[in-house]
Amino acid sequence: MKTLITHLRPHLDDICAFWLLKRYLPEAKDAALDFIATNEKGGNVINDPDLVYVGVGRGKYDEHKGDIGDCATTLVWKDIGPKAAIDARERRAVEKIVAWVFLEDTGKLNAEPYRFFSVPAMIEGYFDSRGRDSKTVTQFCFDMLDAMIVAQRNEVLIEDDWKKRIEFDSRYGRAVAVVGTARQIDAFGYSHGFPLVAIVNPDRTYHTIRADAASDIDLTPTWEKIRAAEPEASWYFHHSKKMLICGGDHAPGARLSSLTMEELIALLK
């Protein structure tokens, strides 16, 4: 069985490289983990094909040998990515994580707002709060990366659904409507300059109209129209006056809306 090895107190970059190997390289799925001290030579390594060194040893997965445009994560993905048996959407999701880890590892995200609430900050805090144990913090980061790949798959789905969007002029200004199953399409819409987003799940299990919290939009007129249009549906008008919601995971027993996207758009004009 292979053993993956990096330095003590591993960084996000080294842990993500481990995660990629165990998740997408079949022969490394059950690999053991080990951590070694580093030194001016990059750590003492053993020439054994079953020992895979990451971020140490100046080998193919260690950028410290002079790979300025890479990090351990990008080196691993360049090696195993082309051979990984995954579909196009999964590949796009992984590549988003790899790109983010590279920016983090090369200091490009150090000036980001709320830096001390970031994933690297949580890794540091977890390491210190769990007896400074390298294996424990690695498993913690594996769990976060497992959640992150799900989130990135969702973003890929948003990007695909976004291609079929309907842009229109509402009584509140520019708006966009999207039919899709992805979560947080509203935030994606706001980031693309639309303060108002309407979303319909294609199975009609969820309808929502959402306004950017930073806007001055008040959805009361639309709430009154919707309540008159289908009083039997379980529409919820949020106290912020910026969200109209019917159905979804929070309300599995809701009486669902029968409005089509075209009808929803008409109520917003």
Side-chain angles (χ1 to χ4, degrees):
M1 183 174 70
K2 290 188 179 295
T3 298
L4 308 182
I5 303 169
T6 191
H7 54 79
L8 293 163
R9 190 170 187 164
H11 302 138
L12 171 63
D13 174 42
D14 312 297
I15 297 172
C16 186
F18 273 8
W19 179 79
L20 290 170
L21 288 163
K22 288 177 73 67
R23 191 178 186 93
Y24 298 108
L25 186 67
E27 57 265 38
K29 178 181 178 182
D30 299 315
L33 306 179
D34 198 8
F35 305 87
I36 63 172
T38 189
N39 55 35
E40 69 280 2
K41 297 179 181 179
N44 298 322
V45 302
I46 301 170
N47 186 18
D48 182 333
D50 285 332
L51 302 180
V52 180
Y53 292 91
V54 173
V56 290
R58 307 295 192 261
K60 68 175 179 176
Y61 297 150
D62 182 10
E63 76 276 22
H64 301 104
K65 64 183 181 292
D67 299 308
I68 299 300
D70 279 298
C71 63
T73 290
T74 60
L75 290 171
V76 165
W77 190 242
K78 283 180 178 179
D79 185 42
I80 71 171
K83 301 173 283 187
I86 57 177
D87 62 29
R89 281 183 172 172
E90 178 81 358
R91 188 172 300 279
R92 284 163 59 194
V94 174
E95 288 171 353
K96 286 176 180 292
I97 292 176
V98 170
W100 166 71
V101 171
F102 174 73
L103 291 176
E104 171 57 40
D105 191 63
T106 53
K108 304 296 195 306
L109 303 181
N110 284 342
E112 286 287 303
Y114 300 104
R115 170 73 183 174
F116 292 102
F117 290 88
S118 68
V119 170
M122 286 189 281
I123 294 171
E124 290 282 343
Y126 198 87
F127 180 77
D128 289 339
S129 69
R130 294 298 188 275
R132 302 172 69 81
D133 183 81
S134 297
K135 189 171 185 178
T136 298
V137 76
T138 297
Q139 186 56 59
F140 172 68
C141 198
F142 280 179
D143 291 341
M144 286 197 291
L145 288 164
D146 286 343
M148 193 176 293
I149 190 64
V150 174
Q152 294 307 314
R153 288 182 195 135
N154 183 69
E155 184 171 359
V156 167
L157 187 57
I158 290 175
E159 291 169 350
D160 289 343
D161 288 341
W162 187 253
K163 296 173 184 176
K164 299 170 286 185
R165 69 191 181 277
I166 302 170
E167 300 179 15
F168 63 100
D169 291 316
S170 74
R171 66 183 296 154
Y172 309 100
R174 291 296 292 154
V176 64
V178 182
V179 175
T181 58
R183 299 177 305 280
Q184 299 197 33
I185 296 176
D186 54 324
F188 193 84
Y190 307 152
S191 70
H192 283 73
F194 295 92
L196 186 67
V197 182
I199 304 163
V200 172
N201 181 287
D203 298 324
R204 295 198 182 171
T205 56
Y206 180 69
H207 285 56
T208 186
I209 300 168
R210 294 173 180 257
D212 189 345
S215 73
D216 59 359
I217 292 174
D218 179 345
L219 290 172
T220 300
T222 301
W223 162 234
E224 292 171 349
K225 283 186 176 183
I226 284 181
R227 187 165 49 177
E230 51 175 16
E232 72 286 355
S234 299
W235 280 96
Y236 167 65
F237 188 31
H238 191 264
H239 63 269
S240 66
K241 299 183 179 180
K242 297 184 184 300
M243 288 189 285
L244 280 160
I245 306 166
C246 188
D249 293 337
H250 293 301
R255 297 182 300 280
L256 301 177
S257 172
S258 61
L259 294 173
T260 65
M261 180 57 81
E262 291 71 21
E263 290 170 333
L264 209 60
I265 291 172
L267 291 170
L268 285 164
K269 291 185 173 180

